[in-house]
Amino acid sequence: MSVDVVCAGPPFLDLVFRGLPRLPTPGEEVLADEVVITPGAMANVAFALRQLGCEAVVCSPIGTDPAGRLLQDLMAEAGIPWLGEPSPSTPLSVGLPMDGDRAFVTHFPEPSVDVAAVAAADARAIVVNLPLPAGLPSGPRLVGVVGDPQIAVLRERPVESWAPLHAVILNEREAIGLTERPNAVDAARALAARGCPVIVTRGAAGVVAVDRSGACHEAAAITVSVRDTVGAGDLFTAAWLWADLADRPLADSLAAAVAYSAYSLAARETRQKGLSLAAFLGEADHGGVSRSWMREVRG
């Protein structure tokens, strides 16, 4: 088996409650306008990569509980290959979009990575939750990602080298929480000192990245109207890696990822987010953010 990308981490069963007027207080019931049930986390990354033309799979234990059985059906419906051994429990998140951002309530069983299965996939790149699991193959591009559970683990550990990583992608709140620096730029510089490029997404403020030389790069956000921002970071990660695998310059990869995330969030999808390549290029051209390399991909 040979694929472009292995997403080496758990997909979540996401329950997204749209249209909440506010969060409930203890004992109170607040009505949502809509509930969307969808594969999330690494499933989002794999789905978007596949939409962009990359062969991507999820490699993670497969839950056999009721949530896991539903998630297997939804993954199959979305066309996301899922490789892994059976597991008794499934990660699950309740997404609460509000005021242009989102909060989560999450059940996250002890994560594990099937290193042998990852190696057997013979991927060009691996997206993996940090801390970096031991024994991953060193040939593919290793792209590290984090969430709140990973930040909590990393903060309790001695600072480790990220030299084996091709890049690390995280959001501003996570970067500041991990470094205790006052802003995304300072946090990105501090994290890049660990040995690899660091990319920090900032929502409406765009994205900042610090490369191996210490140079800082930025890309502006694109203003769109969205129903919820759940999955924004996953979409960004997928599009950035898609462009990076084409060996595009960092500035182009950042711009492409910002555009793809924004236009995918704005699309009137029924469930799984992530524009096809043709739809994305059309939106980029229409929005005036097309790059010469995008036209080359199209041709």
Side-chain angles (χ1 to χ4, degrees):
M1 179 181 184
S2 182
V3 301
D4 293 310
V5 182
V6 164
C7 298
F12 280 60
L13 180 64
D14 279 358
L15 286 71
V16 181
F17 287 74
R18 290 174 171 167
L20 286 172
R22 54 185 170 78
L23 295 178
T25 59
E28 182 186 20
E29 183 177 15
V30 174
L31 298 182
D33 293 337
E34 180 184 11
V35 178
V36 179
I37 303 176
T38 181
M42 286 294 185
N44 287 331
V45 180
F47 179 80
L49 280 163
R50 295 178 70 84
Q51 289 286 88
L52 289 167
C54 293
E55 183 64 32
V57 302
V58 172
C59 186
S60 174
I62 299 174
T64 57
D65 56 338
R69 294 194 295 272
L70 175 56
L71 183 55
Q72 288 181 60
D73 289 344
L74 294 175
M75 294 274 282
E77 183 179 301
I80 308 168
W82 188 5
L83 312 176
E85 296 297 321
S87 171
S89 58
T90 298
L92 186 148
S93 274
V94 174
L96 305 172
M98 192 174 301
D99 299 329
D101 206 336
R102 77 286 183 273
F104 291 107
V105 178
T106 295
H107 166 64
F108 191 24
E110 185 68 27
S112 62
V113 173
D114 187 338
V115 173
V118 173
D122 189 27
R124 297 169 61 202
I126 299 170
V127 181
V128 61
N129 290 312
L130 298 181
L132 194 65
L136 285 179
S138 58
R141 304 180 191 199
L142 299 177
V143 178
V145 295
V146 300
D148 284 343
Q150 290 81 34
I151 293 295
V153 171
L154 290 169
R155 284 176 61 90
E156 294 298 320
R157 293 189 173 196
V159 173
E160 59 188 6
S161 170
W162 286 351
L165 290 161
H166 185 66
V168 169
I169 302 174
L170 68 173
N171 67 35
E172 182 173 23
R173 184 179 53 78
E174 293 160 349
I176 291 173
L178 189 54
T179 62
E180 298 185 348
R181 299 301 173 93
N183 57 62
V185 174
D186 288 349
R189 291 191 187 281
L191 293 172
R194 299 187 182 190
C196 78
V198 170
I199 300 166
V200 180
T201 60
R202 301 182 292 177
V207 61
V208 60
V210 176
D211 64 23
R212 292 186 187 275
S213 73
C216 186
H217 307 259
E218 296 191 42
I222 294 174
T223 301
V224 292
S225 175
V226 305
R227 286 183 290 176
D228 73 76
T229 61
V230 174
D234 301 325
L235 294 164
F236 178 95
T237 297
W240 180 86
L241 184 52
W242 164 70
D244 186 73
L245 284 170
D247 294 322
R248 306 317 307 172
L250 179 58
D252 281 350
S253 298
L254 294 175
V258 167
Y260 184 80
S261 179
Y263 291 134
S264 292
L265 291 175
R268 307 302 292 181
E269 99 300 331
T270 56
R271 184 175 293 159
Q272 202 75 35
K273 296 171 183 172
L275 290 174
S276 68
L277 177 57
F280 168 48
L281 294 175
E283 290 289 346
D285 282 341
H286 179 72
V289 297
S290 181
R291 299 290 187 267
S292 61
W293 67 270
M294 288 186 180
R295 290 191 291 273
E296 290 166 8
V297 169
R298 175 187 286 168

